[in-house]
Amino acid sequence: MTYLKKLLVILLSTFCAVTTISSTAAAQAKTLYQTSSQHTITEGATLEHISRFTADGWLNIKVLRIDTTNPNIKIDTLASNQTTDQLSTILALAEEKGAVAAVNASFFNPMDGGTGYPDGPIVRAGDLLATSGWYNQNNDEMASLSLDNAGQILFNYWKNTLTLTGHNNASFAVSQYNQPSRQQYSDITVLDNKWGPATLGASEKYPDLVEILVSQGQVIEIRQALPAATMPDKGYVVISRGEQAVKLLETFKPGNPAQFTVTSNPDWSDLQMSATGSSILVKDGQIPESFSFSTESFNNKNPRTLAGSSEDGKQLILVTVDGRQDNSVGLTQTESAQLMLELGAYNALIFDGGGSTTMAARKSGTSTLDIVNIPSEGSLRSVANGIGVFSQAPSGPLTELILETEDSNIFVHSSRKFTLRGVDSFANPAEVDPQQIEWSVSGIEGRFINNQFQPTSAGRGKIIAKVGELTAELDILSLSAPVKLRTSPDKLDIPLGQSQTLQVTGYDQQGFKATIQPEDVQWAVSGEIEDFKEGILKATAVGAGYIEASVEDVHAYIAVSIYADSTNTIYSFEDDQAFFHADPQIARGTFQLSTDQIYGGNTSGELVYDFLEKQSSSEASLVFTGAGIALDSDTSHLAVWVYNTHESLNRVLGEVLDDTGRKYQLVIADKLDWTGWKRMEVSLEKIQTPTNFVRLYVQNIDPAEGRGKIYFDDLTAKVLNHPVIDQSQTPQDTIPQDEANRTTNFSSGPESFKFSVFGSRQESYSTMEEQLLDKMTKYINKNLDMAVYTGSQAPSAVRNIEKPALITDSEYRTHNYKNSSFIQLDISKGGLRRSDPEQWLWLFKELDTLSGSNAFIVMSGAPATFINAKEGDLLKDTLAEYREKTGKNVWVLFQGNVNQSELDRGVRYISCAGFSIPDFSPEKPTATKFLEVTVMGNNITYEFKSLLGVRSSQ
């Protein structure tokens, strides 16, 4: 057996868009690949989008850079008007205040009713909104970002002294201002109308609350154990209870003077804005030896919101890094500091991260804000505050045009809409009059109808939009007619009453794709589909059928099932349909209808149990009469309301019969870890045809809790009404013919050779499979020049091969053979990076130095099998760019479930199934095939050949 080997030199320099990290950030995960783009939000503020692929995974980084010296830029804290207002998302805060960009800021503390307050001091528009006297008093822990009135960016550990002064200069230390007490109000709290419209007032929790109302420096009222009052318009309320309240009452009387002061470092009266984060990440260009605040979450990779400033103090840098997701793993606190250094921060701190991390910004030429990062929770978290960027520039005339479209690829004789926006000299939106736009195209032929273009020739072109003397251009690729269509979705299960828009993508002969507008598609429906028009299905009636999408003679079909599931009460516990049962040697108890606890109706079912034997098999059952409660054969779920009187480890189970009489145990509650009513639902997906619900029962798991009672109410069944799609009645999509899949008369020569490809993912083989492998091996030895074995178990398929063989395993290497290069990649752990991150850098270098006309990429699976789909897409993009740049043939060979070829932007991907082909069986041995590739210069063809049909000579 001969293995193809090559000496590998792994170079650590990066390829093309890969960024080299400076020595100060050497501890960061090595960057393998990076792309970035930037646009101006408004004059003085830019947004950079960075997609970075590292040895640890992807990072989605957004960087706002704001010029603090620009007179048209304002930076301020975003916050609700009052502490007791509802928390808001960053998007809502930014839209309400008119910001052009924003990020979240402070850590915050939720309160009742969807409200909350930020940690630490907060200054907005020069006004101190809230702070606490104890903040950072014991040590420097939570740092703040501030902007002073001179425009200087400050990073420091804010310290406060809050003082209440009364008659005869009696002085009291105040613990917090416009923040709730953390000591049950036994300290002193001061609130004003920035807290809310009313005072706190006595409550069941604080019945003895004392409130001293102060207006214009004078006590106007003292309230003890009274409800909330209206907040003084030009004053505040002093709140306390217990011993501290007694001291206050001795000093402050109605009519007495009262003065509340806040002194701080930095002096809050000298600040435009301030918001608190936690650790200072970078101080004077250096990362501290230790951070002031650290938790397990900070030491792990998580989403981050960061802020920094340049060395000259003229640029504020606001950063978000997504995390907790496949396409952005997040950063630790140390990695966050390293990133800020890399981005040019001389000083920096960390804000609240995790699910709070959010950045909003407007696109060029629009006034609409978009969320530009991907929040980790899949939705926007409501937060207490943020930092907003505002444009104060006056509106100006149109000075620049911005041309965009949904997809710059377009098929001949289809249509594409283009959007033209404008900005003024301050990069703020400026109106574009559609009547003034002159549309034209160069490089290809076509026609315009307003902003909609329809090409009549294929090739690369340029769309040109002109308004007066201003011009914008956009490159497009006009593709010849599609040979394949794909719809999204490709199969549709839709509930009654909903609608679905179908999208169609076309592919040309070389695998270049373009979206096709619904009006450019010919639609047809078949079956029980009543309401479908221009690509929109409205599910108005239950039924099944299919939708046909056609472009000329190319077709795709979408199977459709419109369903209406129903949930019905099958036992309401209003009449006697059940009885108690238990082995009398193990347990005793009762079952009866009860009015003690009711969820719905007039009664519930009370199950009382007492386990005599404390063992896990003990059961106390509520058995339904007869054969049990009849179930519809399409029942998918059962649900019941359960009232638990006390917590225990005991379980609630159910028993269902199927149509064969087989019993199935359902775990309704794995443990009784709640009290009160709780709805419990269980799936019946593993029961093909349920027929009867026999019983509900308690199983004793907790030896200490052998007796008790629970109540049941409203037992319901969810029944599926999914019309079955008859796939045999749905036509097959148009499958394009691969022009390389043909028989070729082979001519030997210095640039001609033939090789085989066989895929395997199994370790052992049947007698028949062994015979077929031997037959293929003899054929290769006699007729071919080399062999490729791919798949997760590729070595197991190799027999007495006498020709050079390339076998996928946990190594990566390149072999040059005649005019072709075979690049073997290692994806044994689910991708290139997971198998060895250095492999990416090696691959970039190999592609940069390959000689010859053809490149064959060999790996054990398709890019679609990568654990991270974005990495699979990166490999496809890399190979497509390589082919576009060099014009070489690029083929990707791998093991799959079918024998087929597919092109993507000129790169041919061929799946070789081996014995994994679904049709293969002892009755159909001819279904197993291997791939035979013929290379003659830069002309490459292939055939799938049956292992049973090959002969050892030609």
Side-chain angles (χ1 to χ4, degrees), residues 468-654:
E469 298 300 318
L470 301 176
T471 300
E473 299 179 348
L474 184 65
D475 292 331
I476 65 168
L477 176 62
S478 177
L479 305 173
S480 56
V483 298
K484 180 176 67 174
L485 300 178
R486 281 184 179 169
T487 61
S488 178
D490 58 2
K491 182 180 179 181
L492 189 56
D493 287 288
I494 182 172
L496 188 68
Q498 291 192 9
S499 61
Q500 175 73 49
T501 299
L502 302 181
Q503 296 178 329
V504 178
T505 301
Y507 296 79
D508 73 359
Q509 190 66 48
Q510 288 298 309
F512 288 87
K513 66 180 181 179
T515 56
I516 302 177
Q517 302 302 318
E519 58 266 30
D520 295 323
V521 178
Q522 293 79 52
W523 302 96
V525 298
S526 178
E528 302 165 312
I529 300 173
E530 296 185 356
D531 194 340
F532 179 81
K533 186 178 181 180
E534 294 183 354
I536 301 176
L537 171 67
K538 294 181 179 179
T540 56
V542 174
Y546 66 83
I547 298 171
E548 177 184 2
S550 302
V551 177
E552 296 182 1
D553 58 351
V554 181
H555 311 273
Y557 300 88
I558 308 102
V560 177
S561 175
I562 301 173
Y563 63 88
D565 297 342
S566 61
T567 299
N568 305 307
T569 301
I570 56 176
Y571 184 36
S572 59
F573 293 90
E574 299 292 322
D575 53 4
D576 288 324
Q577 291 188 36
F579 58 91
F580 178 82
H581 174 75
D583 184 335
Q585 302 298 319
I586 296 176
R588 60 190 178 191
T590 61
F591 172 75
Q592 63 181 2
L593 299 180
S594 171
T595 59
D596 290 349
Q597 302 294 339
I598 302 171
Y599 180 79
N602 299 313
T603 59
S604 65
E606 178 191 74
L607 177 64
V608 179
Y609 56 88
D610 184 1
F611 293 106
L612 307 176
E613 297 289 337
K614 305 302 187 292
Q615 58 187 26
S616 60
S617 60
S618 301
E619 298 174 357
S621 301
L622 174 172
V623 181
F624 299 111
T625 57
I629 298 175
L631 298 177
D632 189 289
S633 60
D634 291 321
T635 300
S636 66
H637 292 77
L638 293 173
V640 64
W641 283 91
V642 181
Y643 186 96
N644 186 33
T645 56
H646 66 283
E647 295 187 21
S648 74
L649 298 178
N650 294 329
R651 303 200 298 170
V652 178
L653 305 174

Side-chain angles (χ1 to χ4, degrees), residues 70-89:
N70 189 301
N72 294 315
I73 286 285
K74 182 181 122 179
I75 301 166
D76 204 357
T77 304
L78 296 174
S80 299
N81 292 327
Q82 297 178 321
T83 304
T84 53
D85 287 345
Q86 293 279 313
L87 295 172
S88 296
T89 66

Side-chain angles (χ1 to χ4, degrees), residues 82 105 154 204 559 666 780 803:
Q82 297 178 321
L154 309 176
E204 183 177 347
L666 307 177
I780 295 170
K803 297 296 177 71

Side-chain angles (χ1 to χ4, degrees), residues 775-785 801-803 951-954:
K775 192 174 183 65
M776 180 183 69
T777 302
K778 292 177 182 179
Y779 176 82
I780 295 170
N781 289 337
K782 184 71 174 179
N783 299 284
L784 305 184
D785 297 288
I801 193 76
E802 297 171 0
K803 297 296 177 71
R951 290 176 292 180
S952 60
S953 63
Q954 288 184 323

